[in-house]
Amino acid sequence: LKQCDKHQHQKRSVVGLDSLAYLPVLMAFLLMWLLSAALQLREGSAFLAERTMLPSTSGALVVRHRLPVKHIAVKSEQRESFGLPLSSRGRLQRSAEASGEAAAPAAAPAAAPKSYSVGGGRIQASLTALVAGISVGLLCSLGQYTSKSFGLPLWAPPLGAVSLIFAAEATAAAQKGEIKSPGALWQRSLKTGSAVVGACLITVFISKHFGATPLARAASVAVASLYMSAMPLSGYFPPCGAFCVLFVDQAIAHGAIERLGYMYALFPCGVGTVLLVLLTRIVAGFVATPLRAVEKRKA
């Protein structure tokens, strides 16, 4: 009995040491979250400070900057020549200037804007479906190679919904002629990639150290939402909740995705999401070119 009690006491001490070993990781995560929240609060206060209401010379409140006022100098001899009061002459002059500015654009020949239309609503819906299907096929083909060569998959079920979101965005960009905008592409990839990777890392941490339970499923979704809202670099990307729930469910059922561990945040979640951003834009650019040519012939 003494040996059993001694063994149980040693086991409890080991469990206590293991729980203390996770304490620095948890404290580092909380410190990072508080730092990001402080940065967000600082940016919000700076934004409000820039938009302070300032009183103008006329007594009205002007946001951030005073409105430019055009002062018209009136000579003393002009007051005798005109039979109208000064206020009436000012109103007439302002109305004459406004009518002249309105007539100037109408007189100038308006240049016809360049059309980037790929078609009507049905054509755009068909283009979205085609772009999503081709992009998913390319991603799955690439994922088969990475799985056989490196054991790292590129496909997860939530990427089906992600492909439709990015395909619709690519179709809208093709309709506006902004399909080749590198700045918008970089921002979209950075925001969605950081959101997915961060949310999935938090989910794996919760599942490993607090247990894979239905409570952990709910907690992972809630904490992922807080992370995406608090981090300045991350955008709010709702499909992250599906990635988080998928890992917890796989951990409960001891599925294949559970064995990936923290690598799950990158493969397939982060890398697969960023690749879908790029693939949908590339496919939409190739498919939209002949459709745009057909629309120009119709016009």
Side-chain angles (χ1 to χ4, degrees), residues 73-92:
V74 181
K75 295 183 180 180
S76 59
E77 58 270 13
Q78 290 179 344
R79 297 183 181 180
E80 301 176 357
S81 59
F82 291 103
L84 295 174
L86 181 60
S87 59
S88 301
R89 291 201 303 270
R91 286 196 294 269
L92 288 175

Side-chain angles (χ1 to χ4, degrees), residues 8-238:
Q8 290 179 357
H9 179 71
Q10 290 178 353
K11 186 176 180 180
R12 290 175 184 173
S13 63
V14 170
V15 171
L17 290 175
D18 290 341
S19 60
L20 290 176
Y22 301 138
L23 185 61
V25 179
L26 183 60
M27 294 299 294
F29 171 73
L30 291 176
L31 182 61
M32 182 180 65
W33 185 81
L34 290 175
L35 180 60
S36 62
L39 290 174
Q40 287 285 84
L41 182 61
R42 182 179 177 184
E43 291 179 359
S45 60
F47 178 81
L48 292 176
E50 289 179 355
R51 279 141 181 85
T52 305
M53 305 296 286
L54 299 174
S56 66
T57 56
S58 62
L61 292 178
V62 182
V63 180
R64 188 177 179 183
H65 296 293
R66 295 182 179 179
L67 294 175
V69 179
K70 182 178 180 181
H71 298 280
I72 302 173
V74 181
K75 295 183 180 180
S76 59
E77 58 270 13
Q78 290 179 344
R79 297 183 181 180
E80 301 176 357
S81 59
F82 291 103
L84 295 174
L86 181 60
S87 59
S88 301
R89 291 201 303 270
R91 286 196 294 269
L92 288 175
Q93 186 170 359
R94 285 195 295 269
S95 62
E97 290 176 355
S99 61
E101 291 175 357
K114 189 175 180 180
S115 176
Y116 295 98
S117 176
V118 295
R122 293 182 179 179
I123 295 179
Q124 292 181 32
S126 302
L127 178 60
T128 302
L130 185 63
V131 169
I134 295 176
S135 300
V136 168
L138 292 175
L139 182 65
C140 291
S141 300
L142 186 60
Q144 289 181 354
Y145 171 76
T146 57
S147 297
K148 292 179 180 178
S149 302
F150 310 104
L152 299 174
L154 287 178
W155 176 254
L159 289 174
V162 174
S163 66
L164 293 178
I165 294 174
F166 292 156
E169 293 179 358
T171 302
Q175 185 77 3
K176 298 177 182 178
E178 300 173 355
I179 195 68
K180 297 180 181 179
S181 177
L185 188 61
W186 165 252
Q187 286 294 326
R188 187 57 167 158
S189 302
L190 180 64
K191 288 181 179 296
T192 54
S194 59
V196 170
V197 171
C200 292
L201 285 175
I202 294 172
T203 299
V204 176
F205 179 84
I206 292 174
S207 179
K208 282 183 172 294
H209 301 294
F210 297 98
T213 60
L215 181 61
R217 183 191 298 127
S220 63
V221 173
V223 176
S225 178
L226 290 176
Y227 163 79
M228 291 186 290
S229 301
M231 287 299 291
L233 187 64
S234 172
Y236 199 89
F237 193 54

